[in-house]
Every structure is written in C-alpha cells, then in structure tokens.
C-alpha cells in the first residue's frame, strides 16, 4: 500500500509538472496583417514628359493655393520601397499643362519648353517623397486630378492619378480668383470615368497644414509586374473641348453657378490638421 501511494503521488507530481510546462508555453504568434490592395492604374494621358527633372518644388511660383503632394511607396508586401523614382505632373489653376501646345480655353496657347508643375524625386529609405505644388485646376471632360508614375529599376511599375475631394475643389474654384473661369466645371469624381474605374486606392487623403493643403497617397505596387498604362498618341486639344463662351456669350450676370456639393462651405479651416 505505501508503494502504491508513493507511485500515485509521483504520478500526480509528474502530471502537475507536465501541466505547468504546458502553461508557460508561448501563445501562438498572431498572423501578420494582410497588406492592403495594390494602387489601381489610371490613364497616363497625352501630357507626360520623361524629363527626370529632380526637384521637390514644382510650383515655379505659379498662382494658386499651395499644395504638398506626399507619397509613401510600398511593394506588394507593404514594405517601403526606397529608391523608386516618382514622376508627378498636373495642370495649373487654369487647366493648362506645361511643355505642350494646344493649351488654354481656345487651345491656342503654346507652352512648349515650359516645365511648371512637373518634377521627379527618389523615394527615401522609408519609401517617402514630398512635392511642393499648387492645387490643380480643371479642364473640360476631367475631374480634378494629379498624374504620377512610379519607376523602379528603370521599369515603370505604375502609372496612375490622385483624385481630390470635389467639395474642396468646388469651394476653391468658386471663391478664388486664380481659379476663376468663364464657365462651370463639367466633370466631378462621380462622373469621371477614369476616376470611377480607378476607385478608392487613388483617392488622396487631404488635410490642412500651415498655409497650405497636403494630399497624401500610399502607392502600393507589385514589383513582379508592369502595371503602367500605355501612352496614347499625343493629339493637341482642338475644337470646342477648350472653347470659351459660345456665340452670344453668357446671359447677364455671367455664367450660371452650380451649387457646391454639400459640405463645401464647411471645409475651409475644418480639414484635419497636419
């Protein structure tokens, strides 16, 4: 009987020790969060120039509301992608692109040789780069947008666009003389086929900073694929695409004013601060 008791006690001790060892084993590691979606491509358009113009300030002292364009470039795993070249280009407050003829309301302005609102930067060790620019204007058939291209190791991995909130765009265009035009903007994010096709991954996050706005975009690319959109042949805008008032002009009082989207009057001074 004593032997049986001793054996039983030894068995209990062994079980207790085994249970104790089990209790101190580490918890299984939580799975890594899945990386977000890749940034959607969007049409390059006819106004890209491969200038490799390395600079952070692309405004060239143009009129308009100061705007910083901040990129965080990542690969398909969500890791920063240092060394990627980021090209940016967009129109000025009046909807005109540098470097090309056929600009302006009547399509007769030749801006060949100009470089305003164009530039390139190399992403830093954290995959980030930031440009100083001005808030873009608009031109018929397109919503407000900023073009960009990401080049990795000499290969264009992504060509796309950043889309800005309609409410703020409408507020600026309706209230600031630099953006005044002889007619209404005809296309919003909700009616621009390119913006609709690109979707949420191309919507910039906008906030206020001291004396400027800042739009940020996380550009996630797949290094194993080339996702650039082919460049269409350049055709200078002609005809009524950039036409001003039609014969007879606007009625007394100027062009009709479209109400700004709901909430536009509250945006100025109320965007999240940088």
């Amino acid at each position: 009987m004593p032997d049986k008791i001793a054996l039983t006690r030894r068995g209990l001790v062994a079980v207790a020790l085994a249970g104790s060892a089990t209790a101190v084993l580490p918890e299984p590691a939580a799975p890594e969060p899945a990386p977000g979606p890749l940034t959607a491509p969007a049409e390059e358009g006819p106004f890209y120039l491969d200038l490799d113009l390395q600079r952070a300030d692309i405004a060239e002292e143009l009129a308009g509301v100061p705007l910083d364009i901040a990129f965080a470039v990542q690969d398909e795993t969500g890791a920063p992608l240092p060394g990627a070249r980021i090209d940016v280009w967009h129109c000025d407050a009046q909807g005109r692109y540098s470097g090309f003829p056929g600009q302006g309301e009547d399509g007769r302005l030749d801006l060949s040789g100009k470089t305003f609102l164009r530039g390139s930067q190399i992403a830093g060790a954290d995959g980030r780069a930031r440009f100083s620019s001005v808030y873009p204007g608009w031109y018929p058939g397109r919503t407000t947008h900023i073009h960009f291209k990401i080049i990795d190791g000499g290969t264009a991995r992504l060509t796309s666009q950043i889309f800005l909130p309609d409410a703020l765009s409408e507020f600026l265009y309706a209230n600031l003389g630099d953006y005044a035009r002889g007619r209404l903007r005809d296309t919003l994010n909700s009616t621009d086929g390119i913006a609709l096709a690109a979707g949420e991954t191309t919507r910039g996050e906008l906030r206020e900073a001291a004396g400027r706005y800042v739009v940020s975009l996380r550009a996630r690319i797949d290094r194993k694929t080339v996702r650039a959109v082919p460049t269409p042949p350049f055709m200078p805008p002609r005809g009524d695409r950039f036409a001003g008032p039609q014969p007879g002009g606007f009625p007394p009082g100027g062009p009709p004013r479209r109400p700004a989207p709901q909430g536009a009057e509250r945006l100025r001074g109320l965007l999240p601060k940088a």
Side-chain angles (χ1 to χ4, degrees):
M1 181 65 69
D3 290 340
K4 290 183 179 179
I5 293 174
L7 288 171
T8 303
R9 285 175 179 168
R10 284 197 296 271
L12 291 172
V13 171
V15 171
L17 288 173
S20 175
T22 302
V24 297
L25 287 176
E27 291 288 331
E32 290 290 330
L38 297 172
T39 302
E43 180 179 307
E44 181 176 280
F47 299 123
Y48 175 63
L49 290 173
D50 187 6
L51 299 177
D52 194 15
L53 188 60
Q54 296 285 332
R55 58 181 183 174
D57 188 345
I58 63 175
E60 295 190 10
E61 300 183 352
L62 286 183
V65 174
L67 176 74
D68 283 3
I69 309 166
F71 288 91
V73 184
Q74 300 176 343
D75 66 16
E76 65 277 9
T77 70
L81 186 58
R85 171 180 147 190
I86 306 164
D87 287 1
V88 167
W89 70 102
H90 65 83
C91 69
D92 69 3
Q94 291 291 306
R96 302 169 297 205
Y97 282 91
S98 67
F100 288 90
Q103 304 299 304
E105 291 288 352
D106 59 4
R108 297 179 181 177
L109 184 61
D110 188 352
L111 294 176
S112 300
K114 303 296 184 181
T115 59
F116 60 79
L117 305 179
R118 298 180 181 274
S120 300
Q121 283 196 69
I122 304 300
D126 56 359
R128 296 182 181 274
R130 185 162 172 153
F131 295 84
S132 295
S133 189
V134 296
Y135 200 94
W138 62 275
Y139 49 93
R142 289 303 320 276
T143 191
T144 308
H145 62 281
I146 297 168
H147 292 272
F148 71 93
K149 185 187 293 286
I150 297 178
I151 300 170
D152 170 44
T155 299
R157 301 291 182 188
L158 175 66
T159 299
S160 193
Q161 301 176 22
I162 301 175
F163 297 99
L164 300 165
D166 278 327
L168 179 59
S169 297
E170 291 290 281
F171 181 87
L172 298 178
Y173 299 159
N175 290 279
L176 298 183
D178 292 336
Y179 296 91
R181 304 285 287 276
R183 53 180 165 158
L184 300 175
R185 184 166 71 124
D186 61 1
T187 308
L188 305 174
N189 292 342
S190 58
T191 58
D192 186 305
I194 295 173
L196 291 171
E200 291 299 319
T201 62
T202 58
R203 300 295 172 92
E205 178 184 339
L206 200 74
R207 64 188 188 277
E208 278 190 350
R212 65 184 54 246
Y213 291 107
V214 180
V215 61
S216 302
L217 185 78
R218 181 180 62 187
R220 182 165 289 164
I221 67 173
D222 187 347
R223 301 187 71 183
K224 300 186 296 295
T225 60
V226 178
R227 307 185 71 235
V229 177
T231 305
F234 170 65
M235 297 182 63
R238 296 183 303 170
D240 62 1
R241 181 179 176 193
F242 285 86
Q246 299 303 305
F250 291 116
R257 299 185 73 86
R258 180 178 63 229
Q262 185 177 5
E265 72 282 356
R266 300 195 301 272
L267 272 174
R268 192 168 179 83
L270 293 179
L271 287 172
K273 300 293 184 181

